[in-house]
Each structure stands twice: as C-alpha cells, then as structure tokens.
Amino acid sequence: MSEKARKLFEALDLNHDGELTRVEVISALRSQGPTLAARGDLPFWGVGDAEASSALFDEADQNGDAVLSFEEFARVVDRRFGW
C-alpha cells in the first residue's frame, strides 16, 4: 500500500476513526479535493462530482459493510491512480 494512499485516506477520514463512510468520501473530496490535488495527494482528474466519489466508494467497499478500511481504500486508489 502506498504512502500516497495513506495520506489521502487520512485527509478524507474527517472524524479520524480509521474508517471512511460514503458521506466522508463525498464531503471531503468536494471540500478538499482541489487542495489535495494541488499538493499532489490526489490526481487532478481524481477530483470528481458526488456521483464519481460514490462510485469510487462502491468499487472499494468489497465486503459491502458501508465503510472503507484503509486496505480496501488503498487497493482501489493505488490501482486507479497508478501509485
């Protein structure tokens, strides 16, 4: 798992509980996406609308428990963003 995935996960984990909810992913990408992209923590093309953020969440939530662990998240973003 990449260090970039870890940094992005921590930036999106708004309540710092070690898991991501759909609301956290959508909210954080909407509010922090451009800043994360400018810092190099997220590809500019990775900043999408709520629908794209929700699709990313669904792709990552392999066990269907409606929360993402770091491992679930990192597998998808490392592959999708080429990290």
Side-chain angles (χ1 to χ4, degrees), residues 11-68:
L12 299 180
D13 187 9
L14 299 175
N15 65 1
H16 308 289
D17 67 352
E19 296 180 324
L20 298 177
T21 64
R22 182 182 308 275
V23 171
E24 279 180 311
V25 171
I26 292 169
S27 297
L29 285 175
R30 287 178 76 192
S31 65
Q32 299 177 36
T35 301
L36 292 167
R39 288 192 326 220
D41 294 332
L42 176 70
F44 278 103
W45 58 266
V47 179
D49 59 12
E51 187 175 313
S53 298
S54 189
L56 173 72
F57 185 93
D58 289 338
E59 181 182 348
D61 188 19
Q62 292 297 304
N63 64 4
D65 65 353
V67 294
L68 301 182

